[in-house]
Amino acid sequence: MAQQRVLIVEDNVDNYELVRFLLARAGYEVLAASNGMEGVETARRELPDLILMDLSMPELDGWDAARKLKADERTRKIPVLALTAHTLPGDRKRAIEAGCDGYISKPINVASFEKLVSTLVRQAREELQG
Ligand code: MN
């Protein structure tokens, strides 16, 4: 099987570096974008296996980027996990309503991160094949 690819869409360099490190250590190929617009363009071009999406970003925020990805036939089936520091349940609800398939709370729980990512990538692959 080809190396699985995860796109990180995140404008904060420290958060990006942590997520990139965890993904690379777990054996994923990492793609990066630093705002929602760049994220949507990269997703359309590269068709990654999973997208990790920050919510508060310049140019296009994560909610609107998720909406664009889910409205596009080419990228609709790629799972999107919101990376959110937002502690209000309403912000997570908004992320799900925008089309995100789940969320990861910041600060990131390193122990559960890899398991969550691998579960979602596997589910997405099974859905595409089945
Ligand atoms: Mn941000």
Side-chain angles (χ1 to χ4, degrees):
M1 188 186 285
Q3 194 177 23
Q4 296 170 338
R5 298 184 307 151
V6 179
L7 169 61
I8 308 170
V9 188
E10 169 65 84
D11 66 323
N12 179 286
V13 175
D14 290 338
N15 290 335
Y16 165 73
E17 287 295 341
L18 172 61
V19 174
R20 185 191 60 76
F21 170 78
L22 294 173
L23 290 171
R25 190 178 66 172
Y28 296 98
E29 182 182 337
V30 176
L31 307 168
S34 59
N35 64 61
M37 194 60 80
E38 199 185 304
V40 170
E41 287 165 5
T42 305
R44 285 176 179 157
R45 189 177 65 241
E46 302 288 343
L47 299 176
D49 296 289
L50 175 69
I51 299 169
L52 299 180
M53 180 78 78
D54 182 30
L55 292 175
S56 299
M57 290 185 289
E59 304 294 331
L60 186 71
D61 68 33
W63 293 285
D64 284 341
R67 269 185 211 102
K68 278 188 189 291
L69 291 167
K70 294 302 180 180
D72 187 327
E73 190 63 31
R74 293 168 291 177
T75 53
R76 180 168 66 78
K77 285 189 173 170
I78 304 170
V80 178
L81 268 187
L83 289 171
T84 175
H86 296 271
T87 48
L88 292 174
D91 288 316
R92 290 177 183 160
K93 188 161 170 277
R94 274 180 67 208
I96 302 299
E97 282 167 358
C100 292
D101 300 278
Y103 59 82
I104 293 176
S105 296
K106 292 190 227 176
I108 287 164
N109 180 326
V110 172
S112 60
F113 178 81
E114 275 183 29
K115 188 165 172 28
L116 184 54
V117 166
S118 72
T119 299
L120 273 159
V121 168
R122 194 177 62 242
Q123 280 173 359
R125 294 223 154 190
E126 282 168 4
E127 196 174 314
L128 286 176
Q129 285 160 9

